[in-house]
Amino acid sequence: MSTRTGLLSIVAVAALAACSNQAPSSTQSTPVPAPTSSVTTTAPSPSSASSEPMTADANGVKGGKVTVATALYPIEWLTKEIGGDHVAITNLVAPGQDAHHIELSPSQVQEVMDADMVIHFNGLAPAFDDAAAKSQGKAVDLRQLIRLELADHDDHDDHDDHDDGDDDHDDHDHDHDLGGVDPHFWLDPDELADLAPKLAEALSEQDPANAAMYRENATRIASTLDARDDEWDRRLDRCTIKPFVTTHAAFGYLADAYDLRQIGIKGLDPDAEPTPERLNAIREEISRAGVTTVFTEPSATTALAESIAQDLNIQVATLDPLESLSPDSPGKDYLEVMQANIDALAKANNC
Ligand SMILES: [Zn+2]
């Protein structure tokens, strides 16, 4: 990880204190059944009206399940891995949609307000933040639980060329709700691994009867994420080209995790348009650094990436920011899509 001074370390005191207990190795050693990989429930139906069997324990949780609302696919995935059948999760981001611009119908707002837990990243999706603020249940702001990084991740000591390029400084004007913080933490698997026990504690507060199972599942998925992170780190460590070019600048955490450098054409917000000056600077940097590929993303318009690639006679390929999962995603869950991202980077950056 980077050592820049701009890195904010935010510690969730309550959650950390609670999760310092080791996961008990009790007789309850059987993980919950593998959660389904189906995508979201965007229809405004009550999330607790699932046809799955209720749990037998009378723990006071509605319908035997903790109801969770979120608006980020990786949080949906992680919460299912930890909560299994004991959690009914509603994800308000439609398949293929970016997480920045969601709008909620009145019935969806009601669904968020009725959930036991609402997990959001304050500033990422204002419509969802508003609904979280009105929630009767527990609103969990991810900003309080993760290691936040600032929008311009151009912080590595080994970049002797980053002062002469026009890096990421003038393209974040549209991100006022985020206050200069990059929300895309889930693209560093280590961040998700660290989040797992904190989510388990938050679920346990709602459903203490199953706390041991939540902790055990969190430990299991965190160790899976850590193992994949190590594997991806070894793979990308061999890259002979360190910069990579993306349209939507969502991959700063990933770049930091694997010692690469993202050159974002647009800002953190996929709708932000680059200035002609910035486009020229990017073209120059692509040529100078020997970048082979411009990355666009599934379900996004590719005209800008294609025009740059055509001008410079380089390739266009796909990186998935995982803000939602859709039939266009290059995998059917978080780990598969991340693997596809790592494969695409390894190919483009000669690793
Ligand atoms: Zn984004």
Side-chain angles (χ1 to χ4, degrees):
M1 293 298 300
S2 77
T3 55
R4 65 170 294 151
T5 51
L7 180 107
L8 307 176
S9 291
I10 308 276
V11 178
V13 178
L16 276 179
C19 68
S20 59
N21 301 326
Q22 283 301 308
S25 55
S26 69
T27 52
Q28 192 175 10
S29 61
T30 312
V32 295
T36 63
S37 61
S38 67
V39 199
T40 57
T41 306
T42 51
S45 60
S47 56
S48 57
S50 164
S51 60
E52 292 170 51
M54 287 169 44
T55 49
D57 46 353
N59 52 30
V61 172
K62 282 181 276 185
K65 291 175 189 283
V66 181
T67 55
V68 177
T70 191
L72 272 176
Y73 168 70
I75 296 303
E76 177 194 0
W77 175 79
L78 188 64
T79 307
K80 280 181 178 171
E81 291 289 332
I82 296 167
D85 289 345
H86 292 269
V87 170
I89 184 155
T90 300
N91 182 351
L92 281 307
V93 183
Q97 189 181 25
D98 78 65
H100 300 257
H101 302 107
I102 64 168
E103 291 174 12
L104 303 182
S105 69
S107 61
Q108 286 175 316
V109 171
Q110 189 63 49
E111 194 173 3
V112 174
M113 287 169 62
D114 290 345
D116 298 320
M117 275 175 66
V118 182
I119 308 176
H120 68 128
F121 189 104
N122 199 28
L124 173 58
F128 190 66
D129 294 337
D130 289 347
K134 291 186 228 156
S135 164
Q136 321 277 311
K138 180 185 165 72
V140 177
D141 181 1
L142 292 161
R143 294 171 80 117
Q144 307 300 318
L145 299 183
I146 63 157
R147 296 184 302 274
L148 295 172
E149 296 192 18
L150 298 182
D152 46 350
H153 295 253
D154 55 340
D155 50 297
H156 297 297
D157 297 329
D158 53 346
H159 296 150
D160 50 15
D161 59 347
H162 85 262
D163 287 327
D164 51 356
D166 182 24
D167 280 327
D168 300 329
H169 295 292
D170 38 0
D171 57 341
H172 298 118
D173 300 342
H174 301 268
D175 305 315
H176 23 249
D177 291 319
L178 290 164
V181 165
D182 183 350
H184 304 89
F185 68 91
W186 56 88
L187 291 163
D188 177 354
D190 192 39
E191 287 268 9
L192 270 194
D194 288 351
L195 180 60
K198 298 169 192 171
L199 272 189
E201 287 313 311
L203 288 169
S204 299
E205 284 175 29
Q206 298 294 321
D207 179 16
N210 288 305
M213 181 207 65
Y214 295 138
R215 285 195 197 111
E216 196 169 315
N217 285 345
T219 302
R220 174 185 52 80
I221 195 62
S223 92
T224 298
L225 284 161
D226 284 339
R228 299 299 287 274
D229 182 41
D230 287 349
E231 180 189 321
W232 294 334
D233 198 22
R234 284 193 298 275
R235 177 107 178 264
L236 296 181
D237 197 40
R238 302 196 296 260
C239 298
T240 60
I241 302 167
K242 295 298 184 186
F244 63 98
V245 176
T246 64
T247 46
H248 168 204
F251 298 88
Y253 283 87
L254 189 153
D256 274 4
Y258 301 122
D259 203 21
L260 301 175
R261 185 164 58 95
Q262 171 180 248
I263 302 169
I265 299 174
K266 302 181 176 186
L268 292 176
D269 181 329
D271 279 0
E273 288 298 330
T275 61
E277 292 75 26
R278 173 143 186 84
L279 281 176
N280 281 337
I282 287 169
R283 284 194 174 89
E284 278 172 29
E285 192 161 7
I286 287 173
S287 299
R288 189 173 58 235
V291 169
T292 67
T293 304
V294 177
F295 287 106
T296 180
E297 55 193 69
S299 314
T301 54
T302 58
L304 180 59
E306 272 163 13
S307 123
I308 291 173
Q310 206 161 28
D311 284 357
L312 299 174
N313 197 25
I314 61 176
Q315 308 295 309
V316 176
T318 300
L319 285 180
D320 192 328
L322 274 158
E323 292 179 10
S324 63
L325 196 70
S326 80
D328 293 331
S329 301
K332 67 179 190 321
D333 67 13
Y334 174 85
L335 292 171
E336 286 190 12
V337 175
M338 278 298 287
Q339 182 67 58
N341 284 341
I342 301 302
D343 290 343
L345 279 167
K347 183 171 179 216
N349 287 40
N350 194 27
C351 318

